[in-house]
Amino acid sequence: MSIISPQAAKKEAATINYLNIASKNLLLIFTRNPELGKCKTRLAATVGDEAALDIYKFLLQHTATITKNINAAKQVWYSEEIWETDIWENKYFDKRLQQGSDLGVRMAQAFEAGFATGYERIIVIGSDMHDLNQQDIENAFDTLKNNDFVIGPAIDGGYYLLGMTRLEKALFQNKTWGTKTVYKDSLQNLENERIAILEAKNDVDIYEDIETIPAFKPFLKHLKK
């Protein structure tokens, strides 16, 4: 993979943002660079590092496919470094680099930058949701026309989607990220707000999340029954 600097990526994607800002919608896609031994580590504990990497690449491709035609500006926020040539086509996706001490800080920074640019409805998703489709995301943007916040709970106690029409910093503070308390704690931050709650969905973190889903069977053939 070739690497591009954050400054060059922003310049290259400027036209994309200008074309899409008219919709006032911004989609933030948080992703890890797909490298062996560095992604889906809890899943890898069961299926191995190579299978976990293949599964994550499969999920990344799914996310790129369902998001590229959404009527919104789209930003991919990389965990380690920005890759110029990968599945995230520069024609559709602006590329940014996550910065901050934890996930909350990094997401807050992305939302803050989006609102400062002029977007009015901003949604963040991860890149490990096989259970998510384009219509789900478009519907979430529509709900923000009549609500200030939208959240999609994950079955494991986290959330797979978070959207807002104004920055609420409390959502990104005092959370134990990656645990089953995140969704519950986030709802407490939004107790007196206009909020829409979406259908609960399954994200992919551990083997049990995928063991019965046909799409993942090709990646699991090496496992002993």
Side-chain angles (χ1 to χ4, degrees):
M1 300 291 181
S2 56
I3 300 172
I4 186 172
S5 70
Q7 293 79 11
K10 290 179 183 179
K11 183 176 181 181
E12 185 174 348
T15 302
I16 299 173
N17 276 341
Y18 288 133
L19 289 173
N20 286 294
I21 197 169
S23 74
K24 300 298 183 182
N25 292 342
L26 172 63
L27 179 64
L28 310 171
I29 304 166
F30 267 52
T31 183
R32 280 191 168 277
N33 293 79
E35 298 177 300
L36 187 66
K38 296 184 179 180
C39 55
K40 290 299 164 194
T41 54
R42 287 189 287 168
L43 178 62
T46 302
V47 306
D49 287 340
E50 291 188 6
L53 178 59
D54 288 341
I55 290 168
Y56 189 52
K57 288 180 177 179
F58 171 71
L59 292 167
L60 289 174
Q61 185 61 65
H62 172 76
T63 306
T65 299
I66 67 170
T67 57
K68 74 175 185 178
N69 293 320
I70 288 174
N71 182 27
K74 292 168 283 287
Q75 297 175 354
V76 178
W77 288 76
Y78 291 75
S79 61
E80 305 297 329
E81 59 192 11
I82 295 172
W83 288 353
E84 180 180 12
T85 306
D86 59 6
I87 65 167
W88 306 103
E89 299 177 64
N90 296 323
K91 177 181 178 180
Y92 301 105
F93 300 98
D94 181 3
K95 299 182 176 184
R96 307 290 179 97
L97 184 64
Q98 300 175 35
Q99 297 192 22
S101 57
D102 64 25
L103 179 59
V105 173
R106 297 192 291 269
M107 286 196 295
Q109 181 189 70
F111 271 95
E112 187 170 17
F115 284 123
T117 303
Y119 293 102
E120 295 179 357
R121 294 173 292 273
I122 304 179
I123 286 174
V124 64
I125 62 171
S127 48
D128 56 1
M129 286 293 301
H130 184 258
D131 204 15
L132 192 65
N133 60 49
Q134 178 176 335
Q135 190 63 53
D136 292 327
I137 300 169
E138 291 175 343
N139 288 343
F141 273 118
D142 285 341
T143 68
L144 284 177
K145 295 176 182 179
N146 299 303
N147 294 275
D148 294 321
F149 300 90
V150 59
I151 190 166
I155 293 173
D156 65 3
Y159 57 75
Y160 62 86
L161 180 152
L162 176 68
M164 59 189 76
T165 60
R166 57 177 171 79
L167 182 62
E168 178 51 69
K169 291 186 177 181
L171 285 166
F172 308 110
Q173 300 168 349
N174 303 314
K175 304 292 186 299
T176 307
W177 300 105
T179 71
K180 62 182 181 181
T181 65
V182 172
Y183 173 64
K184 175 177 66 68
D185 292 343
S186 299
L187 284 186
Q188 290 179 350
N189 296 138
L190 300 174
E191 189 174 6
N192 298 312
E193 303 289 353
R194 294 192 306 165
I195 177 174
I197 298 176
L198 306 179
E199 176 186 1
K201 291 184 178 292
N202 177 50
D203 61 1
V204 176
D205 289 314
I206 59 177
Y207 173 69
E208 288 74 16
D209 293 330
I210 64 172
E211 62 177 329
T212 62
I213 300 176
F216 293 100
K217 285 187 178 180
F219 304 105
L220 306 176
K221 290 180 178 179
H222 65 294
L223 296 180
K224 294 181 180 179
K225 300 299 182 180

